[in-house]
Amino acid sequence: MTEKQTTLQPISRGSPEKYTERMALEEGAIKSSSRRSFLSGAATAAAAATVASTTGAIAAPLDVQPSSKSMGRTTVPNGYGLPSKFEADVTRNRSDIFVNKQNFSDWSMTPIQHQQGIITPNGLIFERHHAGIPDIDPDAHELVIHGMVKQAMKYSMSDLMRYPSVSKFHFMECSGNGLTDWLSVKSDTVQQTHGLLSCTQWTGVPVSWLLDEVGLDSGAKWLLFEGADGSAHARSIPLDKAMDDALLVFASGGEMLRPENGYPLRAFMPGWEGNTSVKWLRRIKVSDQPWHLRSETARYTDPMPDGKWRQFSMEMECKSVITNPSGGMQMQGPGMYEIQGFAWSGLGKINSVDITLDGGKTWRTADLEDPVMDRCLTRFRYRWNWDGSPAKIASRAVDSTGYVQPTVAELADKRAIVGFVQHHNGIFPWAVSESGEVTNAIA
Ligand SMILES: Nc1nc2c(c(=O)[nH]1)N[C@H]1C(S)=C(S)[C@@H](COP(=O)(O)O)O[C@H]1N2
Ligand SMILES: [Mo]
């Protein structure tokens, strides 16, 4: 998709009166508590001028639309609904910076600049797989739980789906989300910089229920989760996490998982880096220690300033990004815009989001849209009357533990920033030029 085609019009929907009302809510423009006094103030003329220049007033009554003059398409009773053909640009895309020559260990990114609300449609959930997507027949699939247990057990999919289940809203983020941001070549769009991020309602069975059933030997501390794909991707998970909130997920967004997201069964670790949510799950082995797998030594570790590498940094710390306006978009002249974006934290809820318009010199409070849920995407909104001068915009989130999303410099103090950086949650700026062009402004 060429994001260059995405243009941002100043807000112009609705009646001029409604528009003026919205204007009044902008940037704390209401000094007095009465809207009337704002409307009678000097700002009214400016607001009215903006409305006139962006709404296209009509003189004649409405024509009958061509689509009203004939019957539409018939329903497709046995079909699966698809987005409008006019939305064909909204797709998952591969990386534009680091293009693999093969598709097997690869990833595709969610177009978060086009996501409305907090739920990612199933067909747009980002993909990350180490050896391609297996096609697994649920009738043949089994999950085994073994190791330091009283009674090793085997579960078919129909066994598992007979258990009571839970449905939870959570984000999922790959630890490599943003990993190209530190390189000299920058990604253009927010899909490329932050699109290894999705959020949906996950349905499955809590791991703890099955662990209770098999019974743990004393001394059990770690669990191996292993996938049935060509990479046999696996992770060691501490028992505490498994007992606390880990899920065996078979559905997302109201339907069975898509093949690329782990059909028919995956692990899901709320708030933790995506690679701990092992897809195509085939076994859980209980032990008294971690396995120190490739994914825990050669990969998914963080270089520290003292030259050592940190293992098992699985919680995704608080982060946010502006998705609108964002890289590759084109603003259509001065006027009202709504800055929008997402904030999330692997350690709790989002408490607040601040917006800067001047590259971090001053900050203002954004509105958080309900629902604000634990370890879930939270949408923030901020009304901005752009005066047409160059701006550097960014968001900064604070979570319920009090953790403040760091600046890039603050992050670089705590970690050695080299090569592909994992767990990059630095404050991310976009530059808006006088001509309205929006570009990646990471230094
Ligand atoms: N079996 C298996 N599980 C896996 C992977 C994999 O390659 N194989 N990739 C992991 C990584 S790195 C991430 S970020 C998430 C991505 O899940 P998604 O493709 O559903 O977005 O799955 C994880 N689980
Ligand atoms: Mo990942």
Side-chain angles (χ1 to χ4, degrees):
M1 187 179 75
T2 57
E3 203 57 47
K4 300 280 177 242
Q5 287 160 358
T6 308
T7 59
L8 286 173
Q9 302 286 348
I11 297 167
S12 64
R13 285 197 207 119
S15 68
E17 194 194 324
K18 275 270 163 51
Y19 178 77
T20 314
E21 191 176 321
R22 269 202 299 231
M23 270 292 293
L25 296 171
E26 182 262 330
E27 292 185 40
I30 309 180
K31 295 264 155 39
S32 118
S33 59
S34 151
R35 180 168 82 84
R36 288 241 163 260
S37 68
F38 171 78
L39 291 178
S40 63
T44 316
T50 319
V51 172
S53 68
T54 58
T55 51
I58 54 160
L62 202 56
D63 290 335
V64 177
Q65 264 182 248
S67 58
S68 300
K69 292 181 182 165
S70 61
M71 306 297 248
R73 270 193 297 118
T74 55
T75 53
V76 186
N78 299 319
Y80 192 99
L82 291 173
S84 160
K85 64 182 177 187
F86 301 108
E87 299 298 321
D89 275 356
V90 181
T91 56
R92 295 187 284 221
N93 291 344
R94 296 175 79 192
S95 165
D96 62 5
I97 295 275
F98 183 68
V99 181
N100 280 334
K101 294 196 182 65
Q102 39 75 28
N103 302 66
F104 300 112
S105 176
D106 206 358
W107 59 88
S108 71
M109 291 143 169
T110 298
I112 52 174
Q113 72 276 40
H114 297 298
Q115 183 172 317
Q116 308 295 332
I118 57 173
I119 300 304
T120 311
N122 278 332
L124 295 176
I125 292 182
F126 80 85
E127 301 163 89
R128 171 73 183 107
H129 27 70
H130 293 81
I133 303 162
D135 248 321
I136 297 179
D137 176 353
D139 292 339
H141 191 67
E142 286 173 343
L143 173 72
V144 167
I145 305 184
H146 66 133
M148 291 175 63
V149 296
K150 301 264 180 294
Q151 175 62 62
M153 296 278 275
K154 188 169 83 177
Y155 301 85
S156 69
M157 281 309 294
S158 55
D159 290 340
L160 278 175
M161 292 182 70
R162 277 190 53 198
Y163 281 76
S165 59
V166 297
S167 294
K168 305 255 183 198
F169 291 93
H170 288 299
F171 76 84
M172 178 175 60
E173 184 183 19
C174 176
S175 56
N177 198 23
L179 92 177
T180 56
D181 297 342
W182 302 93
L183 304 178
S184 50
V185 194
K186 308 289 177 213
S187 298
D188 292 337
T189 66
V190 74
Q191 175 166 14
Q192 293 288 339
T193 62
H194 289 74
L196 294 175
L197 172 72
S198 298
C199 183
T200 189
Q201 189 183 28
W202 307 93
T203 300
V205 181
V207 174
S208 61
W209 296 357
L210 298 188
L211 292 181
D212 283 346
E213 192 173 72
V214 297
L216 297 173
D217 287 347
S218 66
K221 278 208 182 72
W222 287 81
L223 278 65
L224 175 84
F225 284 72
E226 186 187 74
D229 55 331
S231 75
H233 176 73
R235 285 300 314 256
S236 311
I237 303 292
L239 180 62
D240 284 353
K241 179 69 174 173
M243 294 312 269
D244 189 21
D245 57 9
L247 297 176
L248 299 170
V249 157
F250 48 79
S252 68
E255 61 182 4
M256 293 301 282
L257 291 168
R258 297 286 170 92
E260 57 270 39
N261 305 120
Y263 182 89
L265 187 69
R266 78 178 301 166
F268 186 76
M269 305 290 161
W272 282 24
E273 58 184 9
N275 71 72
T276 59
S277 291
V278 173
K279 302 192 277 188
W280 313 295
L281 186 68
R282 66 182 287 259
R283 70 175 170 131
I284 299 173
K285 185 174 185 184
V286 183
S287 175
D288 55 359
Q289 53 194 309
W291 275 259
H292 299 287
L293 303 158
R294 178 174 181 270
S295 291
E296 299 165 346
T297 50
R299 297 284 182 276
Y300 307 119
T301 52
D302 302 312
M304 292 288 131
D306 64 3
K308 293 189 175 159
W309 289 71
R310 180 173 73 183
Q311 277 184 289
F312 301 114
S313 38
M314 300 185 283
E315 281 159 340
M316 297 305 288
E317 291 178 314
C318 181
K319 186 165 171 181
S320 70
V321 69
I322 294 174
T323 55
N324 248 273
S326 61
M329 295 185 182
Q330 177 67 49
M331 318 253 290
Q332 298 298 295
M336 282 296 300
Y337 292 85
E338 188 178 62
I339 292 178
Q340 301 178 10
F342 293 118
W344 64 99
S345 167
L347 287 111
K349 291 186 186 181
I350 292 301
N351 261 20
S352 61
V353 175
D354 300 320
I355 301 288
T356 182
L357 305 168
D358 54 16
K361 288 195 207 85
T362 60
W363 296 88
R364 305 116 199 272
T365 310
D367 292 328
L368 302 185
E369 186 168 81
D370 282 339
V372 176
M373 291 185 279
D374 180 32
R375 292 167 295 174
C376 186
L377 286 193
T378 295
R379 215 175 166 81
F380 64 82
R381 300 173 180 278
Y382 179 80
R383 294 186 178 89
W384 180 32
N385 193 359
W386 183 47
D387 63 6
S389 55
K392 199 169 168 191
I393 62 172
S395 60
R396 176 181 67 192
V398 181
D399 73 15
S400 48
T401 70
Y403 176 97
V404 182
Q405 184 183 1
T407 62
V408 170
E410 284 162 356
L411 197 58
D413 268 355
K414 290 193 204 135
R415 307 235 217 106
I417 304 299
V418 288
F420 286 137
V421 177
Q422 303 277 330
H423 307 107
H424 170 3
N425 67 329
I427 291 173
F428 192 92
W430 300 110
V432 180
S433 75
E434 228 164 328
S435 63
E437 203 193 346
V438 188
T439 52
N440 183 336
I442 274 262

